[in-house]
Amino acid sequence: MTKREAVDVKVDAMIEDLRTLVEVESPSRDLDALTESAKTVAEVIENRLGGHAVLIASEAGPHVHWSAGGDPRVLILGHHDTVFPLGTLARRPFAVADGHATGPGVFDMLGGLVQAVHGLAALDDLSGVEILVTADEEVGSRSSRALIEERARACGAVLVFEGAADGGGVKTGRKGCGTFDVTITGRASHAGLEPEAGINALVEAAHQVLAIAALGRPDIGTTVTPTVASAGTLDNVVPAEATVVVDVRVESAEEKERIEAAFAALTPRLAGAQITVQGGVGRPPMPESAAAGLFAMARQLIPGLEGRAVGGGSDGNFTAALGVPTLDGLGAVGGGAHADHEYVVVEAMAERANLVTGLVRAIRHAGGTF
C-alpha cells in the first residue's frame, strides 16, 4: 500500500462506525446475519483504510481478511459474532449517554474493532499490516482456528482487540479453557413397581458430578465447574440417561493433560452404567511470556498501563500457544461483556486508538525483535 497522509483520530467518527456495526446484529451460528455483519465490517475497514477486504466463507459464517500488502509484520485480530440473539437491538438499541456507548456487542468486541481501524488510519504507512475478523470466536473458533494460526505465523506478532481488563488494563495472560460433555447411560424401569430393575442414570450422574468437581485445583489456577445437567423423562420412570456439561479452565499445558486424562478415565459407580465423554480444553493457555515484549512496548506508550492475567479465553490463546508474541485486551475500555449492561467508555476510545498506532509503529521499527 502506498504511503498515506496521517489523519487524526476523531471520536465522533469512531462512534458512527460503532453504531454502524452494532446496528447489524450478528449472533453466532446465524449465517444470514453473520454474512451481513461481515459485509459491514469489510465496508468499515475499506472506508477507513482503503484496499479490499476479502470475505472468507466458512461453515460458521464469513471471516473478514484485509491486508495492506508487503511482508506480513503484524496481525490485528478480532471477531464480529456476538452472543446476543436477533431482536436484542430492538430492546436495547445503540445509544450514547453519560459518557458511555451501549448496545449489543459494543464491548465484546465491536468497540475494539473500531478503535483498531481508526488507530491504523492514523498511520502514514500500513505495509505489513493485516486484519482478521472471524465469525465464530464466541462458539469456539472451530472454523477459524487454522486461518488464525496461519496468519499469526506469517505475521510474527498479534494484537488482539478483545475488551480491556477491569480498570483499562491489557491482558497479558489467559487460562486455557474448554467444555466437556459427559453422558451417562443407564436403564429405564418403573420407579414404583420395580425400581431395582433399572440403572438410575441420575444417581450415577450425582456420583460423577462430585468426582468431577474434585478435579479442580484452584490453588494453581485450575477450575472444574459442572454448569448444566439434565436427566429423566417422567416422575415415575427411573432415568435411563443423564448429561452433565463441565466448564474447565487451566493455566498450564500440564494441567490440560491431567484434566483431559481424568475425564477419559471416569468410571461408573453403578453396575451396568456407562459413561461417554466428549470435548476437551480447546483453547490452550496463553502464557504471560508471550505478551512480555509487546506489553513493554505498550507501557512505553502509556506509562503505568496495567497487564493482567485473566480466566476467560480468546483467539489470542491459539496464537500465543504457537510462540507468536501476542498482546490481548487492547480493545474498548468498559464492561458488562455478554450482559444487558454492556458498555464502552467513550472518553477512553481515542487513547486506545492511539495505542494501536504506536504499537504498530513500534513493532515495525523493532523488526521482529521484541
Side-chain angles (χ1 to χ4, degrees):
M1 176 171 287
T2 58
K3 296 243 180 188
R4 305 168 63 253
E5 183 177 348
V7 296
D8 293 329
V9 171
K10 298 187 184 302
V11 174
D12 287 348
M14 283 196 283
I15 291 293
E16 285 311 304
D17 283 348
L18 182 55
R19 177 189 299 276
T20 296
L21 294 182
V22 170
E23 290 184 347
V24 180
E25 293 183 284
S26 54
S28 304
R29 299 193 175 99
D30 187 321
L31 299 188
D32 290 339
L34 288 167
T35 297
E36 291 307 308
S37 175
K39 291 177 181 177
T40 305
V41 169
E43 289 172 2
V44 168
I45 292 172
E46 292 170 356
N47 287 343
R48 298 299 176 183
L49 303 180
H52 177 60
V54 178
L55 270 57
I56 301 173
S58 83
E59 62 184 10
H63 312 308
V64 183
H65 181 244
W66 179 91
S67 173
D71 293 334
R73 300 286 294 279
V74 57
L75 178 65
I76 305 298
L77 185 58
H79 64 89
H80 65 100
D81 63 319
T82 70
V83 301
F84 301 103
L86 290 180
T88 302
L89 187 67
R91 178 172 56 84
R92 191 159 55 89
F94 180 81
V96 179
D98 300 323
H100 289 178
T102 56
V106 289
F107 180 66
D108 188 12
M109 60 167 289
L110 302 176
L113 293 181
V114 168
Q115 290 168 182
V117 170
H118 282 255
L120 293 175
L123 288 163
D124 60 0
D125 183 4
L126 288 169
S127 59
V129 176
E130 294 190 17
I131 302 173
L132 179 60
V133 186
T134 65
D136 64 345
E137 192 275 344
E138 296 289 6
V139 290
S141 305
R142 290 177 179 84
S143 77
S144 59
R145 179 175 181 175
L147 178 61
I148 291 166
E149 293 176 338
E150 173 197 314
R151 298 323 305 157
R153 286 191 181 99
C155 291
V158 179
L159 304 178
V160 185
F161 284 83
E162 294 284 355
D166 290 346
V170 293
K171 297 173 181 177
T172 54
R174 286 184 179 273
K175 291 184 179 182
C177 53
T179 302
F180 292 82
D181 296 296
V182 181
T183 301
I184 295 98
T185 303
R187 183 172 61 239
S189 66
H190 196 292
L193 296 178
E194 47 178 1
E196 69 284 352
I199 300 170
N200 196 317
L202 177 55
V203 172
E204 180 62 49
H207 287 296
Q208 296 304 322
V209 164
L210 294 175
I212 288 166
L215 295 173
R217 291 191 58 188
D219 56 312
I220 59 171
T222 301
T223 59
V224 181
T225 310
T227 55
V228 180
S230 64
T233 54
L234 294 170
D235 59 3
N236 62 352
V237 178
V238 171
E241 185 172 281
T243 60
V244 180
V245 180
V246 187
D247 178 278
V248 171
R249 313 278 166 151
V250 298
E251 289 187 358
S252 69
E254 292 76 16
E255 279 296 275
K256 173 182 182 296
E257 293 173 3
R258 180 182 73 85
I259 291 296
E260 289 179 339
F263 271 91
L266 290 175
T267 303
R269 302 290 185 89
L270 302 182
Q274 298 179 336
I275 297 173
T276 58
V277 177
Q278 293 182 318
V281 180
R283 294 186 191 272
M286 175 183 167
E288 292 190 74
S289 58
L294 294 173
F295 180 49
M297 290 180 179
R299 285 180 67 95
Q300 289 289 321
L301 297 164
I302 304 180
L305 181 69
E306 291 189 357
R308 298 187 182 182
V310 298
S314 83
D315 288 336
N317 290 57
F318 298 134
T319 63
L322 298 174
V324 177
T326 300
L327 185 59
D328 202 341
L330 289 163
V333 176
H338 298 190
D340 280 356
H341 65 279
E342 183 179 21
Y343 68 95
V344 167
V345 178
V346 173
E347 186 180 34
M349 293 181 73
E351 181 182 61
R352 300 298 277 206
N354 289 330
L355 178 58
V356 180
T357 309
L359 276 172
V360 172
R361 281 190 179 128
I363 290 168
R364 288 152 53 97
H365 180 73
T369 305
F370 43 83

